[in-house]
């Protein structure tokens, strides 16, 4: 037994057709975990039926173990699957049994659909890959879905977004079990970033609804060229040659949002671009994007991305590490 050797056992469920990338993440990270020179985990890949399991990439993987492997596991991880909208009843039943035995249950990407089908996410905070978030919310309205974070832990259940967020989820589990030093060592061995906070967003673009008209297009273009100025509704209406009420109605009809919502979105996007492509100090970026002060920049960016301006720059700068002078004490 794993616990007799002080080793934690992880069972990874490959629900057909399974994502090969999702499946490889826990195997790679957990098997690289060592504590005092000994393995920290045993990893077992399992499926409803041992044998060939189709993948989303069109290949077949041979899986030796069935779902009985969950009974000896401390942690169960459900990899992303292409059959998320038609969950395998055998997997759903096995997950319910594992949860009843108080095992830690985790999912990567669309694996969250199987957890939701098993009733394990009802009333819990959870996430999935942003592209599938609306569908998960529609099918399982009882889930407290956090659609734009990397991973979420609520009690014994941990869910993550897709792709590289599965790496963050596994590192989070390793850190929970063995501490930050062990988790960071695994991250270095795997050549990935150290543990990122789960509340960090998935960093998808935050698009506005598609524009459905061009009556205000000249005013939108003018506003984009003047983001560094303290534009008001009156300023926008004056440029458009209409009343504030008419501008608001037309703007919403064309852009799907109010003029000030649109303006704030553009200011934050401008600030993000400047953080990525320049070494300007935070107060200068705040002024250039029309957000006013470094404090205001920080508040808006944290609300939008989960990162402070300096953390965002460190993560996404296209110029390498910015000099110390380019940061602000409030960043």
């Amino acid at each position: 037994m794993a616990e007799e050797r002080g080793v934690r056992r992880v069972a990874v469920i490959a629900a057909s057709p399974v994502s090969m990338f999702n499946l490889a993440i826990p195997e790679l990270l957990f098997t690289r975990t060592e504590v005092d020179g000994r393995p920290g985990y045993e990893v077992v890949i399992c499926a409803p039926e041992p044998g060939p399991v189709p993948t989303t990439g069109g290949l077949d993987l041979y899986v030796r173990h069935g779902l009985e492997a969950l009974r000896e596991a401390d942690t169960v991880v459900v990899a992303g699957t292409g059959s998320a909208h038609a969950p395998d009843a055998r997997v759903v039943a096995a997950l319910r049994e594992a949860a009843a035995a108080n095992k830690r249950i985790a999912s990567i990407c669309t694996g969250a659909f199987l957890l939701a089908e098993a009733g394990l996410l009802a009333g819990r905070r959870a996430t999935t890959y942003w592209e599938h978030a609306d569908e998960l919310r529609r099918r399982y309205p009882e889930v407290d879905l956090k659609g734009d974070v990397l991973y979420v832990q609520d009690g014994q259940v941990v869910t993550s977004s897709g792709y590289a967020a599965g790496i963050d989820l596994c590192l989070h589990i390793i850190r929970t079990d063995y501490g930050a030093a062990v988790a960071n060592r695994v991250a270095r061995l795997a050549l990935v970033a150290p543990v990122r906070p789960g509340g960090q967003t998935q960093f998808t673009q935050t698009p506005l609804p598609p524009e459905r008209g061009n009556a205000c297009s000249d005013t939108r273009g003018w506003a984009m060229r003047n983001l560094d100025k303290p534009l008001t509704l009156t300023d926008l209406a004056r440029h458009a040659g209409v009343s504030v009420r008419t501008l608001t109605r037309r703007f919403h009809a064309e852009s799907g949002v109010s003029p000030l919502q649109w303006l704030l979105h553009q200011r934050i996007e401008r600030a993000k671009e400047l953080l990525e492509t320049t070494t300007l100090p935070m107060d200068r970026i705040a002024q250039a994007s029309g957000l006013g002060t470094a404090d205001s920049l920080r508040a808006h960016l944290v609300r939008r991305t989960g990162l402070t301006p300096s953390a965002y720059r460190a993560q996404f700068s296209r110029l390498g590490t910015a000099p110390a002078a380019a940061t602000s004490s409030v960043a």
Side-chain angles (χ1 to χ4, degrees):
M1 296 287 291
E3 47 268 43
E4 292 176 353
R5 296 188 297 273
V7 177
R8 298 176 184 267
R9 191 179 184 94
V10 178
V12 185
I13 300 177
S16 172
V18 67
S19 162
M20 289 189 293
F21 184 66
N22 281 189
L23 198 61
I25 290 169
E27 191 279 332
L28 169 66
L29 296 177
F30 290 128
T31 58
R32 299 302 298 272
T33 303
E34 288 191 357
V35 183
D36 298 327
R38 298 180 180 180
Y41 298 95
E42 287 183 358
V43 179
V44 177
I45 310 295
C46 59
E49 292 183 11
V53 175
T55 70
T56 53
L59 302 176
D60 285 352
L61 297 177
Y62 190 88
V63 178
R64 296 187 176 88
H65 301 279
L67 295 176
E68 65 276 1
L70 272 62
R71 295 176 189 143
E72 297 186 15
D74 304 295
T75 298
V76 176
V77 179
V78 185
T81 173
S83 61
H85 303 332
D88 190 309
R90 295 166 295 180
V91 175
V92 171
L95 287 171
R96 288 174 178 154
E97 181 181 332
N102 205 34
K103 300 179 186 296
R104 178 169 49 199
I105 314 286
S107 67
I108 300 174
C109 195
T110 53
F113 282 78
L114 281 79
L115 271 61
E117 183 69 17
L120 306 186
L121 300 184
R124 293 185 187 271
R125 291 174 293 115
T127 192
T128 189
Y129 184 42
W130 64 269
E131 194 171 35
H132 302 286
D134 288 343
E135 178 66 14
L136 183 68
R137 188 179 287 109
R138 185 186 69 80
R139 291 170 64 92
Y140 306 101
E142 68 278 10
V143 179
D144 182 9
L145 187 66
K146 308 300 182 184
D148 195 27
V149 298
L150 294 177
Y151 60 88
V152 178
Q153 176 159 1
D154 191 331
Q156 74 191 95
V157 178
V158 195
T159 54
S160 81
S161 176
Y163 299 102
I167 297 174
D168 296 296
L169 176 140
C170 292
L171 290 174
H172 167 73
I173 290 174
I174 295 168
R175 179 178 61 182
T176 300
D177 289 344
Y178 295 113
V182 172
N184 289 337
R185 184 164 63 248
V186 173
R188 288 195 299 272
L189 289 170
L191 299 179
V192 297
V195 183
R196 295 187 288 179
Q200 184 170 313
T201 69
Q202 296 175 25
F203 295 114
T204 59
Q205 291 294 325
T206 313
L208 294 172
E211 293 179 0
R212 295 181 291 274
N214 56 17
C216 296
S217 60
D218 286 347
T219 297
R220 288 195 294 267
W222 172 79
M224 290 291 292
R225 294 190 297 274
N226 291 276
L227 286 178
D228 58 325
K229 297 179 175 62
L231 302 177
T232 66
L233 267 178
T234 301
D235 294 329
L236 295 172
R238 184 181 298 114
H239 182 275
V242 297
S243 68
V244 168
R245 184 174 181 178
T246 298
L247 173 80
T248 301
R249 177 174 52 79
R250 289 181 181 176
F251 217 98
H252 199 283
E254 293 182 12
S255 302
V257 294
S258 72
L260 293 184
Q261 286 174 320
W262 178 90
L263 190 60
L264 178 60
H265 177 94
Q266 303 303 335
R267 292 191 192 286
I268 295 172
E269 291 301 305
R270 175 66 58 81
K272 288 163 62 179
E273 180 181 356
L274 292 173
L275 286 167
E276 294 174 19
T277 60
T278 77
T279 59
L280 288 172
M282 298 308 173
D283 55 352
R284 291 281 303 282
I285 289 177
Q287 294 165 11
S289 58
L291 291 173
T293 66
D295 285 327
S296 177
L297 167 65
R298 186 182 195 280
H300 285 296
L301 201 68
V302 167
R303 189 176 300 117
R304 177 65 61 86
T305 71
L307 292 179
T308 63
S310 57
Y312 186 92
R313 170 174 271 164
Q315 186 86 12
F316 293 104
S317 175
R318 304 172 196 173
L319 304 176
T321 303
T327 61
S328 164
S329 61
V330 298

